[in-house]
Amino acid sequence: DYVFLLDISGSMADDGKLSLSRRSIDAFVEALEPADRFEVMTFNVKPSKLFAELAAATPDARQRASRFLASQEARGGTRLRPAMAEAYRYGDPDRVLNVVVLSDGMTEQVERQELMELIRARPGHARVFCIGVGNDVERPLLQRVADSAGGFAAFVSQQDDFTRQAAAFRRKVARPAASNVKLLFAGADVYDLEPQQMPDLFHGMPLRVYGRFKPGGPG
C-alpha cells in the first residue's frame, strides 16, 4: 500500500518543483503493480485527498491520479504533520503502508518538532520515505524524517530520468532486506559510531558506518 503526499505550498512554485513532483509521482504510479493499492494526497496548510481510500492500481485510477496532479497549484504555507497523520489512517495491519513524501522540506521549526514526534509515534506497519524535489531543498530534515521512520530519502532534479528513478525506488521499497540492524564488535573498544542507530536496509542500498576504536589490535 502506498500513500503519496505531495507538497503544494508556495515554495514549490520555485525552480519548477511542483512540475517535477507531478512527473515523479506519475512515474511512480505507473511503476505500481496490479496487487498494489495507492492514494494521492496534496498538502499545504491542510491535506486534500484524491480517492479518500486506497484504490487498486488500475489504468482508470492511474488516469484519475494524473488529472488530479495536473490540476494542482503551488500556494500557501507548509504543514506536513496533518497530512502525515491522515496518511497513517490508511494503515492495514495485514499490509505494509509506505508513505512517500515529495517536498522541498521548507517548513517552520515548530512544525518540524511536531512532525518528528508524529514520526516516532507511527504505526508499526508503516514506513515513511522522503523524496527531496529540486535544487533548493532541506536535505537534513527529509533525511532525518525518513531515517526515523524506517525508510530512506532520495533526491530528484530536473535532469533525472523519472521512469528509471521510479523503478529503482519501487525496487528498494518493495524489497526490504533487514530491520533492527545491530553491529557487535569484539576485541576492540569502539566508540563515536555514526550513525548511532542503524537504519533499515533495502535492496541495493549500502550501509556505511564510521567510528573510532582503542586500543589497536585484532577485532
Side-chain angles (χ1 to χ4, degrees):
D1 291 342
Y2 297 84
V3 177
F4 296 95
L5 299 183
L6 172 61
D7 184 352
I8 58 168
S9 63
S11 65
M12 293 292 285
D14 303 332
D15 195 28
K17 294 177 186 176
L18 184 55
S19 173
L20 181 60
S21 299
R22 288 195 198 104
R23 284 181 285 163
S24 297
I25 295 182
D26 272 336
F28 293 144
V29 169
E30 283 301 317
L32 297 180
E33 297 181 358
D36 295 331
R37 302 185 301 184
F38 77 105
E39 167 72 295
V40 178
M41 196 183 306
T42 61
F43 69 93
N44 42 31
V45 294
K46 64 179 182 178
S48 176
K49 308 170 191 175
L50 170 58
F51 301 115
E53 64 179 355
L54 287 168
T58 62
D60 178 64
R62 290 190 176 99
Q63 289 177 2
R64 286 183 61 187
S66 186
R67 290 195 299 268
F68 177 70
L69 291 167
S71 69
Q72 301 304 311
E73 297 180 0
R75 58 174 177 263
T78 309
R79 291 200 65 208
L80 176 55
R81 188 179 187 276
M84 191 72 73
E86 201 62 38
Y88 287 164
R89 297 179 186 275
Y90 289 83
D92 180 338
D94 296 326
R95 295 168 69 102
V96 175
L97 177 67
N98 300 296
V99 180
V100 182
V101 182
L102 290 92
S103 175
D104 59 7
M106 302 299 182
T107 186
E108 298 296 328
Q109 190 64 38
V110 173
E111 165 72 7
R112 296 181 187 190
Q113 295 170 357
E114 293 177 347
L115 176 60
M116 293 311 300
E117 292 173 5
L118 181 65
I119 288 294
R120 285 190 285 268
R122 77 187 192 284
H125 57 277
R127 301 183 305 217
V128 179
F129 303 87
C130 294
I131 300 175
V133 182
N135 297 317
D136 185 14
V137 60
E138 187 62 45
R139 279 177 172 258
L141 174 64
L142 297 178
Q143 192 79 55
R144 185 181 172 202
V145 166
D147 289 347
S148 301
F152 58 85
F155 300 90
V156 296
S157 65
Q158 296 285 5
Q159 292 73 37
D160 290 323
D161 182 326
F162 302 111
T163 303
R164 187 179 65 184
Q165 285 266 39
F169 180 85
R170 193 191 179 286
R171 243 188 339 264
K172 291 188 180 82
V173 173
R175 295 175 64 184
S179 59
N180 300 319
V181 179
K182 293 179 176 62
L183 293 180
L184 302 179
F185 298 92
D189 183 6
V190 175
Y191 65 104
D192 282 355
L193 283 183
E194 182 63 36
Q196 296 178 15
Q197 180 177 346
M198 302 299 114
D200 288 352
L201 300 183
F202 295 85
H203 176 72
M205 289 184 65
L207 172 60
R208 297 183 179 90
V209 181
Y210 301 88
R212 302 173 185 271
F213 63 89
K214 62 180 181 182

